[in-house]
Amino acid sequence: MPRVLRMPEVAANATEAVLAEWMVAENADFAAMETIATVETEKALVDVEAEAAGVVLKLLVSAGSQVEVGSPIAVLGVPGEVAADIDTLLVELDVVEPPAHVMPVRTEVPAGPSSAPVAPPAPAPNAHGRIFASPLARKLAKEAAIPVEAITGTGPCGRILRRDVDAAIAAKNTPASPRVVEDGARTPASKPLAPAQGVEIPHTRLRRAIAARLVESKQNAPHFYVRATVRADRLVALRAQINEGMTRISLNDLVVKAVAAAHVAVPEMNVIWTPDAVRTYPTADIAVAVATDRGLVTPVVRDVASLTVTAVAARVRDLALRGRDGTLRQDELEGGTITVTNLGMYGVEEFAAIINPPHAAILAVGAVREEPVVEDGAVVPGKLMTVTLSVDHRPVDGVAAARWLAALKELLEHPVRILA
């Protein structure tokens, strides 16, 4: 029995995603749990797996197309099934309108004294009086007070999508210069302005996602900050000693390991805020901020307290590499209660970071610097490092954050305990 495969909600609260690649061709068989397609979210690639064995009867969108969640992307059949009349099947599955109501193609007449471009007619309803539009498109059209009957669909088989509503809203606001969006369009080119105004670089999907999350964080999470200056002499020496062998670790790897140990020592910090409760976690899952060409991603290292520092280093390197390649899985970007972000390699001595929702905290790590310090009443050279903890005051009180930071400072200044 043929069925429609729809774009899944591969990330929480996502309204659309990019169909990055089809892994199974049209009319090809596939096995249960085999990957049918790869979907790209703002931050990761997600495999869409088959629930059962079958065959691809029809692909409805091309690779690279941006598709709204819930929209049809393919028609699947049982193993060995053949669709004798695919057009009729698409109508029966309520994917397309009957042929009698297919919209005419947009046309223009030659310009003349009294001639003008001929606008395409509004889409006609099917035999059941229905206009094909995604739920999100209908919602946006209603909010903009634009009837869906007046919108031309550019989705699969004329379906009205979000971009069509956006185009209709733009045309409504600026009728002299309507905006045209093509199927599968990705990030537009930079827009040149007058020399004094610079150049507009359109937002990427990842940049929009980052902006939305950070605004949400600052608006909803009451931040407070605690800072500590760490004597990093022993930390630097330990790293050098470990790196004398085949293994290579960074200072940040040791910090990540220390953060997990601090979570074990002060479990009140290993929490997140939810609308109904403060949720605690049995393991220390630590997110690590990774800068990429597309923007910042924060993959999560699971159960750091149970890993050796060399295992943490290997895991962080793998996540960072795949983060820069854009091949992280969605599940690798979810979870955790705290993020570690480090700008020390850029010479930044101290900074405060914005919490990454739904985490309860983020630790900002500065550069190790040489400064005179007082030791046993004498001024001696020392290596110092400033760490700043941004905390969500809803699930975490100031005393708990202070105890946690004191535990972290103790671990970093006596780093052998991190290896225990």
Side-chain angles (χ1 to χ4, degrees):
M1 178 68 181
R3 64 182 181 87
V4 177
L5 176 65
R6 299 182 181 276
M7 174 63 76
E9 185 180 3
V10 292
N13 302 318
T15 58
E16 57 189 11
V18 173
L19 195 292
E21 183 180 5
W22 285 109
M23 307 305 292
V24 181
E26 206 166 87
N27 300 318
D29 295 324
F30 54 84
M33 305 307 295
E34 182 178 349
T35 299
I36 299 177
T38 302
V39 173
E40 179 186 355
T41 66
E42 287 89 351
K43 297 183 178 181
L45 294 175
V46 180
D47 291 337
V48 178
E49 298 179 343
E51 297 177 356
V55 61
V56 177
L57 299 178
K58 181 69 175 178
L59 300 179
L60 300 177
V61 298
S62 59
S65 297
Q66 188 160 308
V67 185
E68 291 177 11
V69 170
S71 294
I73 58 176
V75 177
L76 310 180
V78 298
E81 186 171 4
V82 176
D85 188 344
I86 192 66
D87 292 333
T88 300
L89 177 61
L90 294 177
V91 173
E92 292 174 351
L93 293 174
D94 209 20
V95 173
V96 301
E97 303 173 9
H101 298 291
V102 172
M103 293 183 297
V105 178
R106 180 190 299 265
T107 59
E108 295 184 358
V109 298
S114 59
S115 63
V118 178
N126 62 14
H128 304 287
R130 176 185 172 190
I131 296 294
F132 285 82
S134 72
L136 178 60
R138 289 182 180 276
K139 177 177 180 293
L140 294 176
K142 182 178 180 181
E143 292 174 351
I146 300 177
V148 291
E149 294 82 1
I151 302 174
T152 300
T154 62
C157 306
R159 185 182 181 88
I160 298 173
L161 304 176
R162 175 180 182 171
R163 60 171 175 261
D164 304 319
V165 180
D166 290 342
I169 294 173
K172 177 182 177 182
N173 295 335
T174 55
S177 54
R179 181 168 64 92
V180 178
V181 181
E182 297 180 357
D183 185 36
R186 306 297 289 273
T187 304
S190 300
K191 177 183 177 182
L193 302 173
Q197 295 177 305
V199 176
E200 286 189 351
I201 302 175
H203 303 309
T204 63
R205 298 171 64 246
L206 177 57
R207 179 55 60 189
R208 289 183 184 276
I210 292 171
R213 288 177 67 84
L214 295 183
V215 169
E216 172 195 351
S217 178
K218 289 296 284 185
Q219 287 180 337
N220 298 331
H223 288 50
F224 72 92
Y225 308 90
V226 287
R227 294 177 177 82
T229 298
V230 175
R231 282 292 302 270
D233 304 77
R234 293 175 180 172
L235 189 70
V236 172
L238 177 63
R239 183 216 176 192
Q241 185 178 353
I242 294 174
N243 286 346
E244 287 177 357
M246 297 293 293
T247 304
R248 304 296 296 179
I249 68 168
S250 67
L251 286 179
N252 201 61
D253 297 327
L254 289 168
V255 171
V256 171
K257 183 68 175 169
V259 167
H263 264 32
V264 173
V266 186
E268 299 95 318
M269 277 287 294
N270 194 17
V271 299
I272 65 169
W273 175 268
T274 73
D276 301 316
V278 173
R279 182 178 301 165
T280 64
Y281 290 87
T283 60
D285 301 337
I286 313 299
V288 180
V290 176
T292 74
D293 292 339
R294 301 183 304 133
L296 193 71
V297 294
T298 52
V300 179
V301 183
R302 310 290 177 186
D303 198 7
V304 174
S306 69
L307 302 176
T308 65
V309 68
T310 54
V312 170
R315 183 63 176 148
V316 170
R317 277 196 301 271
D318 172 65
L319 291 171
L321 178 62
R322 292 191 290 113
R324 296 185 182 100
D325 291 341
T327 57
L328 288 169
R329 300 190 308 272
Q330 188 66 35
D331 63 286
E332 294 173 319
L333 294 162
E334 297 174 345
T337 60
I338 187 171
T339 304
V340 174
T341 178
N342 193 330
L343 294 180
M345 66 285 294
Y346 300 104
V348 175
E349 296 183 356
E350 179 182 341
F351 68 107
I354 299 174
I355 299 168
N356 179 34
H359 292 176
I362 183 168
L363 182 73
V365 183
V368 175
R369 60 193 187 276
E370 291 190 356
E371 291 189 6
V373 297
V374 178
E375 189 174 282
D376 297 328
V379 177
V380 298
K383 292 180 171 61
L384 302 181
M385 179 175 71
T386 299
V387 292
T388 304
L389 183 69
S390 306
V391 189
D392 183 348
H393 214 326
R394 294 173 300 176
V396 179
D397 292 330
V399 171
R403 287 173 48 231
W404 184 92
L405 191 60
L408 179 74
K409 176 180 168 69
E410 180 72 13
L411 287 161
L412 292 175
E413 292 185 340
H414 301 85
V416 173
R417 300 176 188 176
I418 299 173
L419 307 182

